[in-house]
Amino acid sequence: MSSKLDLSLSADHTEVHLKVLEQEGQPAVDVALSVEDITRLIQVLGQCRETMLEGKELPPIEGATFTPVTRTKWALQPEASTDGSVLAFQHPAFGPVGLVLPPADADRLMHGLHMHQQMRQQPAKPRGRLN
């Protein structure tokens, strides 16, 4: 199976060329996309994916493959309709992302962060001889 799409990043990293390859007599198409265009495309594709998964159970997060974000800006704010919190952050690959934490999930997150803080504050235990 061959791909109908080809993506290439420009040498100066300012745009991506999206090429729809020639298929069954249809001419090839080449579209230059800016960072803003890519962000919008990611958002639209995400909305399409969300719609396609409507009514289906979300897969478990345990065991899922993901790449942790280490360089981001984030914000936390109250969320009125659930009485929870919104955690939003800039994902380098996907753009702005946010999730609503209902009160029970916010409490779980606070508990987990508190446990991690306590682990960091405890002195390292001696491990014995290394060799």
Side-chain angles (χ1 to χ4, degrees):
M1 176 182 235
S2 64
S3 175
K4 299 174 187 176
L5 301 176
D6 181 46
L7 295 164
S8 59
L9 182 63
S10 65
D12 62 0
H13 295 191
T14 61
E15 61 185 19
V16 168
H17 282 269
L18 169 65
K19 294 179 185 174
V20 181
L21 304 178
E22 186 176 339
Q23 294 276 322
E24 301 174 11
Q26 297 293 320
V29 177
D30 184 354
V31 179
L33 302 169
S34 67
V35 170
E36 293 80 13
D37 295 331
I38 294 287
T39 301
R40 181 70 185 129
L41 180 60
I42 290 169
Q43 291 169 341
V44 169
L45 288 172
Q47 291 167 350
C48 290
R49 183 179 188 277
E50 182 178 16
T51 301
M52 293 169 80
L53 294 175
E54 269 181 15
K56 297 179 182 169
E57 189 173 330
L58 290 176
I61 191 67
E62 293 80 9
T65 302
F66 62 92
T67 303
V69 176
T70 58
R71 188 179 71 93
T72 187
K73 292 182 179 182
W74 61 273
L76 184 66
Q77 63 191 43
E79 202 286 315
S81 68
T82 64
D83 204 24
S85 302
V86 174
L87 175 60
F89 59 95
Q90 283 287 353
H91 192 292
F94 304 115
V97 177
L99 73 138
V100 174
L101 296 166
D105 289 344
D107 291 345
R108 229 175 99 206
L109 179 61
M110 284 190 302
H111 178 72
L113 290 172
H114 183 69
M115 285 179 19
H116 292 177
Q117 181 185 37
Q118 287 177 330
M119 290 168 51
R120 287 191 311 271
Q121 292 174 344
Q122 291 178 354
K125 295 179 183 176
R127 296 183 183 180
R129 293 181 61 167
L130 297 177
N131 56 5

